[in-house]
Amino acid sequence: MQQEPKIVVIGSLNMDLVVKAPRAPKRGETILGEEIHFIPGGKGANQAIGLARLGAETTMIGAVGSDAFGAELQEALQRDGVNTSSIKVLAAQPTGVASILLAEGDNSIVVVPGANAQCLPEDLKRFEAKIAEADLVLLQLEIPLETVEYAAELARRYGKIVLLNPAPAQTLSRDLLSNVDYLTPNRSELALIAGVAEDTPLDQGIERVLELGVSTCITTLGAEGAAYRERGGRLLRVPGHKVPVVDTTGAGDAFNAGLAYALARSQDIREAVAFAGRVSALAVTKFGAQGGMPRLNEVAEYFREER
């Protein structure tokens, strides 16, 4: 029986404050809301829980405040078996918060990074042994870019697979991209990283990213699935799945968790992208980014029935 992979997730932990209202208030106006939910989130934590539910031996490296939100976020990870011993707890910084207003079928979000901004390269030096033991290191961009750059460099030094989910979108250096094995942008993130217009043909944007040093680029296309290309290869596509959609909040995080899990288990790229698509599709059938993350047996059973 194949041993479960060891994966280190280096990234953000946020408490999502989700307020539902009949409409967005005008400037200076106070209105009454309908509902409020406090939901554990942050792209790093979401992906860590996604991995743990699939079965990976998962370690989370990040930072929270010494407040109630920080404790709750760690407890949520621990309930799903994520190792939280490498999470830094800061007395002088609040836990990161995302304030999300849902109104008239749309949302607006304000993120206060809080402790996430104090997840620093020096922390990775303290937890270097965790990276050295891992099969794969999974990164996003909700912590300082210098930390992401150092993490990729450190993981590459130890010969680990490096997967970067480049969200939220920002310009990335050639030095960082040359240390990335798998990059998973959506269309807008791809355009920004490649330095091209969003309506540029997909293959041209991916070609540019590969020229910048990435080994493989996998672009997520929402309901249409994903497209990927390895350096020296051609553009290939994996179709999406038709499912009853409840909440798309965690779709991207589920995709990255599924991809990381499959790659760490040495699946080939097409199998890994297809598996990630199934994990992502099943995640959107449930409410909440973390709550929707499926277990491995659920993925197998759901798509066995689909066939």
Side-chain angles (χ1 to χ4, degrees):
M1 185 175 179
Q2 185 177 359
Q3 186 175 358
E4 291 294 358
K6 293 182 178 181
I7 298 178
V8 171
V9 180
I10 304 171
S12 58
L13 302 95
N14 288 329
M15 180 60 75
D16 294 346
L17 278 59
V18 183
V19 174
K20 185 177 180 182
R23 61 176 177 83
K26 299 174 184 177
R27 184 174 181 177
E29 181 185 24
T30 299
I31 65 171
L32 292 177
E34 298 170 346
E35 300 173 13
I36 185 167
H37 302 276
F38 296 83
I39 304 173
K43 297 191 73 62
N46 293 346
Q47 292 176 19
I49 283 182
L51 281 162
R53 288 191 183 170
L54 291 172
E57 187 177 326
T58 309
T59 296
M60 178 84 211
I61 297 177
V64 295
S66 59
D67 48 31
F69 284 164
E72 189 172 342
L73 292 176
Q74 291 186 86
E75 289 167 6
L77 290 164
Q78 291 161 3
R79 282 195 296 271
D80 276 296
V82 177
N83 183 338
T84 61
S85 63
S86 302
I87 294 175
K88 180 169 68 172
V89 180
L90 298 166
Q93 289 284 339
T95 297
V97 170
S99 177
I100 304 169
L101 174 64
L102 304 178
E104 300 176 302
D106 205 350
N107 65 62
S108 54
I109 304 173
V110 177
V111 177
V112 180
N116 290 310
Q118 298 303 313
C119 180
L120 302 173
E122 63 198 48
D123 299 314
L124 304 188
K125 293 175 185 176
R126 289 168 51 213
F127 303 127
E128 192 169 329
K130 297 288 186 183
I131 294 171
E133 296 170 356
D135 297 303
L136 181 148
V137 174
L138 177 55
L139 306 164
Q140 321 80 30
L141 300 176
E142 288 185 335
I143 56 175
L145 188 56
E146 63 174 337
T147 307
V148 177
E149 292 172 339
Y150 184 73
E153 178 187 329
L154 189 59
R156 175 56 60 88
R157 193 185 309 163
Y158 280 106
K160 307 305 176 182
I161 300 169
V162 178
L163 196 166
L164 173 60
N165 172 212
Q170 57 183 288
T171 303
L172 303 177
S173 70
R174 186 183 290 266
D175 286 345
L176 171 57
L177 294 171
S178 65
N179 284 323
V180 172
D181 296 298
Y182 299 93
L183 188 76
T184 58
N186 60 24
R187 286 300 300 263
S188 60
E189 291 157 358
L190 175 70
L192 181 61
I193 295 165
V196 299
E198 283 198 35
D199 59 358
T200 299
L202 182 61
D203 199 22
Q204 290 182 26
I206 291 178
E207 171 67 25
R208 176 58 182 152
V209 166
L210 297 177
E211 289 173 354
L212 291 171
V214 172
S215 298
T216 302
C217 181
I218 301 142
T219 303
T220 54
L221 303 171
E224 296 177 25
Y228 67 92
R229 183 177 166 190
E230 299 173 280
R231 193 184 303 151
R234 60 190 180 89
L235 185 69
L236 298 168
R237 293 177 181 265
V238 175
H241 300 272
K242 292 183 178 180
V243 296
V245 176
V246 173
D247 182 2
T248 61
T249 307
D253 292 333
F255 183 92
N256 281 277
L259 183 68
Y261 179 79
L263 291 171
R265 286 177 60 89
S266 302
Q267 291 188 14
D268 69 36
I269 183 63
R270 186 169 185 85
E271 290 174 339
V273 174
F275 177 75
R278 293 195 291 273
V279 174
S280 179
L282 189 51
V284 304
T285 66
K286 300 178 184 177
F287 178 74
Q290 293 186 7
M293 294 294 173
R295 301 188 183 279
L296 188 62
N297 66 312
E298 293 174 327
V299 178
E301 290 170 8
Y302 188 93
F303 288 98
R304 185 183 300 119
E305 292 172 4
E306 183 186 74
R307 288 197 296 273

